[in-house]
Amino acid sequence: MAHGKTEKCEQDCYKGGTVLFMYLTGLGIRYWLMFSRYQSIIANHIEISTPLNSWKRVSEGLCLQSKGINPYEGDLLHEAPITILFYKVLTQWWKLDIKTIFLAFDAGTAVVLYFVAKKYMFHLFIEQEENKKQYALNSKEFLLSGSDFVNSPVFVASAFLFNPYTIFNCVGQSTVVFHNFFIALFLFCMLSGSVILSVLSLAICTMMSFYPIVLIIPLFLYSNGIYKSKFRAILTPILFIATLAAFITISIGLSNGTAFMKNVYGFILTVPDLQPNIGLFWYFFTEMFDHFRDLFISSFQINATVLYLIPLSVKFRKDPFLLTFAILCLISVFKSYPCLGDVGFVLSLLPCFIHLFNYSQQGFLVGVIFLITTALGPILWHLWIYSNSANANFYFGVTLAFAIAQIFLVTDILFAYLKREFCLNHGKERKIDGKDALLILE
């Protein structure tokens, strides 16, 4: 018995040492790149830096503010006043080194995501134990095993630490680093059942980039599942609205007016800056006639927010975390100013669904498209802007393929979830009422 305990302690120590080494290696790569000559090249790339997340703009805004000039009078700053105060506390009041700040928040995101995966796998284990009696007799091979519960959190942390998209996002000093940290904190608080902290984290994310406001639906569904009371669950969106209103009120007080609303949320929704990025907006509205602009802006923004929200929420209401993943993936595709940091964060969550990989069909295709488009993007940008041997169509073709890969990914994961649910309920045989069944994602 004592020998068994000793062996388990040795395994835990080995695992802990492996995880620590993984974190140190991931941070070491970021540290080396931050202090190398490649840092400025990465920071200036349009795949990393956008008008919404550029640290250079934040630095200039803080400088203007220190001289008594309103940074929202021009078209420079697109960060909310409350987040500018947050950056001011970190850099000017506490006098922390900028590179250290980005490294610390990126490391914090990796740590939080590790515990997010642990919480989610624990919930899956509880759900599996509660529903075992309802599953088909020959569905044992479809159940989660002990290795899935143990390995998934480690894979999530490593997927974040060694993902080139998140590495470049940190090295390029994109403020999406802070956004990802609070999104990860929101996921952890939601899975922990802490409504107040999850509402607070979500409100901060909404102040930063607006689009996370739609995540209140998964939070409501999760709260409803915890409390088993719609009355108590409906207090969650009410609390969120109150918190968001309080943050907006504070921002109005900090900026001495509502001018920031146009520069931050008006900028996100109306897309006045058509600088190329990895999204879909810039090319369409460069080619668009002005009298069609309002119609298509509305169509694109509806597509990025509420169009898929209701059907997905109805279909996947039993798994709010999967619903949250799907929404985050769609936001990273359809938001007006996306960057690689948004995509990297979503990809880091994939190992949470390690139990669905056996049912997915598009993994190889998606991986190849990601690899090719990631390599071709900077090349075609250089050919277009610097060599004058290509044009906007070449670069947009790459970004369009990149978006298609993300759509293939999320639909494949959602369909895999449905296939696994079918297998658990009906066993190996794909038959309903004695006839061969065909699974269709609707």
Side-chain angles (χ1 to χ4, degrees), residues 11-48:
Q11 289 176 353
D12 291 341
C13 290
Y14 176 77
K15 180 185 172 184
T18 303
V19 172
L20 179 61
F21 176 76
M22 179 181 69
Y23 276 94
L24 291 176
T25 305
L27 291 177
I29 294 171
R30 287 163 170 78
Y31 182 85
W32 172 71
L33 285 172
M34 272 192 172
F35 289 92
S36 71
R37 60 190 179 92
Y38 303 109
Q39 193 278 329
S40 59
I41 298 174
I42 294 171
N44 291 325
H45 250 281
I46 59 170
E47 292 90 352
I48 306 297

Side-chain angles (χ1 to χ4, degrees), residues 4 8 82 84 109 114 189 191 219 234 239 255 318 335 358 365 404-405 437:
K8 186 178 185 302
I82 198 166
I84 291 296
T109 304
Y114 175 86
C189 294
L191 292 172
L219 181 58
I234 207 168
L239 181 60
S255 62
K318 294 181 180 179
K335 68 188 295 188
N358 289 334
L365 176 63
I404 290 171

Side-chain angles (χ1 to χ4, degrees), residues 308-365:
Y308 308 103
L309 184 62
I310 295 175
L312 287 176
S313 299
V314 172
K315 190 68 176 178
F316 300 99
R317 62 189 180 278
K318 294 181 180 179
D319 195 339
F321 184 79
L322 177 65
L323 173 62
T324 304
F325 168 80
I327 292 172
L328 287 173
C329 195
L330 292 172
I331 287 174
S332 69
V333 175
F334 295 115
K335 68 188 295 188
S336 52
Y337 296 98
C339 71
L340 289 181
D342 300 308
V343 182
F345 182 85
V346 172
L347 293 178
S348 301
L349 295 174
L350 275 178
C352 289
F353 311 105
I354 193 171
H355 55 290
L356 302 179
F357 288 176
N358 289 334
Y359 309 90
S360 63
Q361 296 178 328
Q362 309 293 340
F364 178 76
L365 176 63

Side-chain angles (χ1 to χ4, degrees), residues 359-378:
Y359 309 90
S360 63
Q361 296 178 328
Q362 309 293 340
F364 178 76
L365 176 63
V366 169
V368 169
I369 297 176
F370 271 127
L371 185 64
I372 293 174
T373 52
T374 302
L376 282 180

Side-chain angles (χ1 to χ4, degrees), residues 155-318:
F155 291 159
V156 167
S158 60
F160 183 85
L161 288 168
F162 300 107
N163 190 324
Y165 298 160
T166 55
I167 291 174
F168 292 152
N169 186 57
C170 179
V171 173
Q173 297 179 359
S174 162
T175 59
V176 173
V177 167
F178 305 105
H179 179 267
N180 287 345
F181 174 78
F182 286 108
I183 283 287
L185 198 60
F186 160 73
L187 294 175
F188 177 76
C189 294
M190 182 180 73
L191 292 172
S192 301
S194 178
V195 174
I196 295 176
L197 290 178
S198 56
V199 161
L200 183 63
S201 303
L202 183 58
I204 293 172
C205 295
T206 304
M207 290 296 294
M208 286 182 168
S209 63
F210 177 75
Y211 290 103
I213 193 172
V214 296
L215 295 179
I216 190 59
I217 300 299
L219 181 58
F220 166 76
L221 293 174
Y222 202 85
S223 301
N224 188 42
I226 292 173
Y227 298 126
K228 307 296 182 184
S229 168
K230 291 183 179 180
F231 175 74
R232 292 189 67 182
I234 207 168
L235 290 176
T236 302
I238 293 174
L239 181 60
F240 169 72
I241 293 170
T243 306
L244 192 60
F247 282 161
I248 292 174
T249 304
I250 293 171
S251 295
I252 291 173
L254 290 172
S255 62
N256 297 320
T258 58
F260 78 93
M261 298 288 284
K262 180 181 178 182
N263 264 34
V264 181
Y265 308 114
F267 184 84
I268 293 171
L269 294 174
T270 60
V271 201
D273 190 330
L274 298 179
Q275 174 183 318
N277 52 57
I278 62 170
L280 304 176
F281 278 72
W282 66 273
Y283 185 84
F284 280 99
F285 292 103
T286 300
E287 306 291 332
M288 186 72 59
F289 291 110
D290 286 341
H291 53 279
F292 289 126
R293 182 179 174 84
D294 291 342
L295 171 64
F296 280 90
I297 281 284
S298 302
S299 302
F300 271 59
Q301 295 294 4
I302 290 172
N303 195 60
T305 51
V306 299
L307 182 61
Y308 308 103
L309 184 62
I310 295 175
L312 287 176
S313 299
V314 172
K315 190 68 176 178
F316 300 99
R317 62 189 180 278
K318 294 181 180 179

